[in-house]
């Protein structure tokens, strides 16, 4: 299974890299942000996580800034350690950041929050909203923990080019509630 997922990751990375290179020509970030805002719905009083984009990930910062301005509390993931679920530290536009594990920037300080909605980065996805991540299982463990605490929505955020054929699914893999791309919203 790991060899199959590794090969799919390479395909998805290449597609993401090409989409990332063309993003300003195609208006992908603006279109994806519009779709994401509509999918999230009214943000006031909610706790929503985004992420600090690395490498060629689709940038959620425009949506995060807009959500903050509309009354949501925002947070970004912090890796607590190998084999553990993610923690989420509050993020506000312009806050002081420091480099965290894997090169992702994280707030230097802030409250630890429990989100009701997550904007999730990914390497690839399929039409059933299965997510192919980086292989560490962080989001699967996190989604399992959060769903035990109460209702939680997980929305993948990616370029449409990252869609793959049906992915192999392991018992620990958790499908997302939706995938948002510049082309629209996919729901299982």
């Amino acid at each position: 299974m790991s060899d199959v997922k590794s090969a799919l990751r390479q395909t998805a990375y290449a597609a993401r890299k090409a989409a990332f290179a063309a993003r300003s020509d195609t208006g992908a970030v603006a279109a994806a942000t519009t779709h994401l805002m509509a999918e999230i719905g009214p943000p006031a009083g909610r706790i929503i996580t985004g992420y600090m984009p690395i490498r060629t990930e689709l940038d959620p910062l425009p949506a995060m800034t807009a959500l903050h301005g509309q009354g949501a509390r925002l947070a970004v993931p912090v890796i607590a350690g190998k084999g553990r679920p993610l923690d989420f530290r509050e993020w506000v536009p312009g806050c002081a950041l420091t480099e965290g594990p894997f090169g992702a920037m994280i707030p230097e300080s802030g409250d630890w929050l429990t989100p009701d909605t997550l904007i999730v980065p990914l390497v690839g996805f399929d039409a059933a909203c299965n997510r192919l991540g980086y292989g560490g299982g962080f989001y699967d463990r996190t989604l399992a923990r959060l769903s035990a605490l109460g209702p939680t929505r997980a929305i993948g955020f990616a370029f449409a080019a990252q869609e793959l054929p049906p992915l192999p699914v392991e018992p620990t893999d958790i499908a997302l509630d939706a995938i948002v791309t510049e082309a629209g919203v996919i729901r299982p």
Side-chain angles (χ1 to χ4, degrees):
M1 179 82 72
S2 64
D3 288 343
V4 170
K5 284 188 172 182
S6 180
L8 287 168
R9 273 188 194 93
Q10 294 310 310
T11 298
Y13 278 134
R16 187 174 80 179
K17 182 178 180 181
F20 182 84
R23 72 194 178 283
S24 59
D25 293 339
T26 63
V29 175
T33 298
T34 298
H35 296 305
L36 181 61
M37 296 295 290
E39 182 65 21
I40 289 173
R46 296 181 44 206
I47 299 174
I48 302 169
T49 69
Y51 57 90
M52 303 305 290
I54 58 173
R55 297 184 285 275
T56 58
E57 290 175 340
L58 183 54
D59 187 354
L61 292 174
M64 291 167 59
T65 301
L67 291 164
H68 180 267
Q70 295 176 22
R73 289 183 80 184
L74 274 289
V76 296
V78 177
I79 296 173
K82 186 176 179 177
R84 298 186 54 200
L86 299 166
D87 292 321
F88 297 95
R89 179 159 261 172
E90 188 163 18
W91 172 89
V92 297
C95 70
L97 301 172
T98 187
E99 189 171 327
F102 301 107
M105 301 303 287
I106 58 175
E108 285 184 0
S109 62
D111 291 340
W112 295 99
L113 302 176
T114 301
D116 58 71
T117 303
L118 292 85
I119 303 167
V120 181
L122 44 85
V123 175
F125 64 92
D126 67 16
C129 292
N130 292 304
R131 173 185 181 271
L132 183 64
Y134 292 98
F138 292 106
Y139 273 97
D140 291 319
R141 282 188 294 280
T142 301
L143 293 172
R145 180 187 75 183
L146 291 174
S147 66
L149 298 175
T152 305
R153 287 189 71 219
I155 303 167
F157 196 52
F159 295 104
Q162 292 173 248
E163 185 170 359
L164 298 166
L167 294 172
V169 178
E170 298 177 76
T172 55
D173 292 339
I174 297 178
L176 301 174
D177 297 296
I179 306 284
V180 172
T181 74
E182 74 278 14
V185 179
I186 300 165
R187 292 182 191 86

